[in-house]
Each structure stands twice: as structure tokens, then as C-alpha cells.
């Protein structure tokens, strides 16, 4: 079946450094959504990408959808301690929402 | 309510015990989902309801798992004869519209189940 992998699995950064997580699907994605899950919390919707090559920004967060719609990335500029958590991508092309393996981000003050 | 509410938040069950997990979705939300999230993993789909109809239960791991939403609002996920491998966070999510491509889903805080 479809697999959605994310790299890296873990990332520790100093506060102020940039961070990027990559999401790769074994099949072409219709849409992709990104979620953030704080430690002990639940996934919270961040954004959805639909078009090939689409780039969306939310303050310090930049989301990109690959040209072939098989990969996506989330880049955070100048990380803050509030960015701590696990970031998941999800194939939202069907209602089953196939979630990626997640990237756990730790920000060291 | 303001958000998706789940209870209990934490449950410790002895192996072989039956458990019931409750989900109260956002008022008026048609679609309701159950996901299972193991430690360090992403959420995995269990089942989907559209109002009271269970349209997909393909993700339920075994026949020990049963979900219902009899009046199209509150849902209960029941696990019979719990096993240690059932230990996970069980997330409920709801969506305003009929489930389709790209709908935003809202997760509850989850029910953390530990089977000892």
C-alpha cells in the first residue's frame, strides 16, 4: 500500500536556526496537508497544498508541494521554542488521510 | 461544543478487560473518524462515519474493535479483550462536510490507553 515517509525522524536545532522536514510519498498525491502535534497534544491542521509546485507561507513557515506531487517540504525560518513538536504531512486525497511518519523537532534555547 | 471532546483522557486496562472510549464531535459535524496513534508514529485510520452510517471500517485491527455512532453525534470505540498491542492513543476527529478530498479535520485530545 501507499507509504508516506518523512525525513529526518528527529531534529535538534538551536533557537534561531532554520529547520526543514521532507515528506515523500510512494504514490502521486492529490492534496497534502501538514499538521503540528505538540508533546502530549493532538495533531493541529496547519495548511493544505493542492497544486503542483505550490508554495505557501505562514509567517516563518514555508510549505512547498513538489512538481511531480510526490513530495512536499516544510521549512521554518529562525526557529523558536514554541516550534517544538512533531510535524506530520498527510495525504488528504481520500478521507482516510494517510499520515507520514513525522519529524520530531526540538529547539534548544 | 467548541472542539472535539474525548473521554477518558487516560485509561489503564488489564489485559483481557473491555474498554469503551467516547468521542463528542464538534456540533453539526457530519463526518467522524477514529485514528490509532502508536508511540512515535503518525495517526493510522481506523474507521469513518458519515452521520450515523459507518461507511468504512477497514482500518480496525481485529474483530475485537467495534465502533458506533447511533444518533449521528457521539461515537464510542469499544475494544474487547484488550491486548498489550492495543496500547496507543486513540484519536477522534470530525469534519463539517461529507468526507472528501482535502477537508479540514479537527482532532480531539485523544484517549491514551495502556494495557498492562
Amino acid at each position: 500500500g501507499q507509504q508516506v515517509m518523512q525525513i529526518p525522524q528527529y531534529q535538534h536545532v538551536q533557537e534561531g536556526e532554520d529547520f526543514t522536514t521532507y515528506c515523500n510519498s510512494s504514490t502521486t498525491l492529490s492534496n497534502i496537508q501538514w499538521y503540528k502535534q505538540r508533546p502530549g497534544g493532538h495533531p493541529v491542521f496547519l495548511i493544505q497544498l493542492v497544486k503542483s509546485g505550490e508554495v505557501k507561507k505562514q509567517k516563518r513557515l514555508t510549505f512547498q508541494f513538489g512538481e511531480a506531487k510526490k513530495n512536499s517540504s516544510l521549512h521554518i525560518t529562525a526557529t523558536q521554542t514554541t516550534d517544538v513538536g512533531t510535524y506530520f504531512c498527510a495525504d488528504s486525497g481520500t478521507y482516510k488521510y494517510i499520515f507520514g511518519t513525522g519529524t520530531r523537532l526540538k529547539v534548544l534555547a | 461544543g467548541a472542539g472535539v471532546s474525548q473521554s477518558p483522557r487516560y485509561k489503564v486496562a488489564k489485559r483481557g478487560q473491555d474498554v469503551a472510549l467516547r468521542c463528542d464531535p464538534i456540533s453539526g459535524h457530519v463526518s467522524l473518524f477514529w485514528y490509532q496513534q502508536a508511540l512515535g508514529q503518525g495517526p493510522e485510520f481506523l474507521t469513518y462515519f458519515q452521520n450515523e452510517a459507518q461507511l468504512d471500517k477497514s482500518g480496525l485491527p481485529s474483530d475485537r474493535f467495534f465502533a458506533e455512532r447511533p444518533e449521528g453525534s457521539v461515537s464510542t470505540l469499544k475494544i474487547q479483550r484488550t491486548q498489550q498491542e492495543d496500547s496507543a492513543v486513540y484519536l477522534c476527529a470530525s469534519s463539517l462536510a461529507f468526507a472528501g478530498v482535502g477537508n479540514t479535520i479537527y482532532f480531539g485530545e485523544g484517549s491514551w490507553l495502556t494495557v498492562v
Side-chain angles (χ1 to χ4, degrees), chain A residues 29-91:
Chain A
L29 301 160
S30 298
N31 312 298
I32 193 161
Q33 295 185 353
W34 284 91
Y35 291 78
K36 177 183 178 181
Q37 186 171 21
R38 292 182 184 277
H42 60 281
V44 174
F45 173 80
L46 294 176
I47 207 160
Q48 175 168 266
L49 304 172
V50 178
K51 299 177 184 176
S52 168
E54 188 171 13
V55 178
K56 286 189 176 180
K57 292 190 176 184
Q58 285 181 352
K59 296 183 181 179
R60 295 178 296 103
L61 277 60
T62 302
F63 303 85
Q64 187 163 4
F65 205 1
E67 293 290 341
K69 299 184 76 174
K70 294 189 73 174
N71 58 75
S72 180
S73 65
L74 158 59
H75 179 83
I76 302 178
T77 303
T79 53
Q80 301 175 357
T81 54
T82 53
D83 296 326
V84 164
T86 301
Y87 292 85
F88 292 101
C89 61
D91 175 7

Side-chain angles (χ1 to χ4, degrees), chain A residues 31 33 35 37 40 42-43 45 48 88 92-93 95-97 99-101 104, chain B residues 33 35 37 41-43 45 48 56 58 99 101-105 107-109:
Chain A
N31 312 298
Q33 295 185 353
Y35 291 78
Q37 186 171 21
H42 60 281
F45 173 80
Q48 175 168 266
F88 292 101
S92 52
Y95 59 80
K96 291 188 179 182
Y97 286 59
F99 281 79
T101 48
R104 184 179 301 175
Chain B
F33 310 81
Y35 287 84
Q37 186 174 25
Q41 303 294 318
F45 172 84
Y48 163 63
D56 190 328
S58 62
V101 172
N103 288 338
T104 299
I105 59 175
F107 284 90
E109 295 284 350

Side-chain angles (χ1 to χ4, degrees), chain A residues 4-34:
Chain A
V4 182
M5 306 296 293
Q6 286 183 248
I7 54 171
Q9 189 175 4
Y10 302 97
Q11 183 85 59
H12 294 182
V13 299
Q14 287 290 137
E15 189 174 21
E17 290 182 339
D18 292 356
F19 159 77
T20 303
T21 172
Y22 299 91
C23 173
N24 297 290
S25 172
S26 58
T27 60
T28 301
L29 301 160
S30 298
N31 312 298
I32 193 161
Q33 295 185 353
W34 284 91

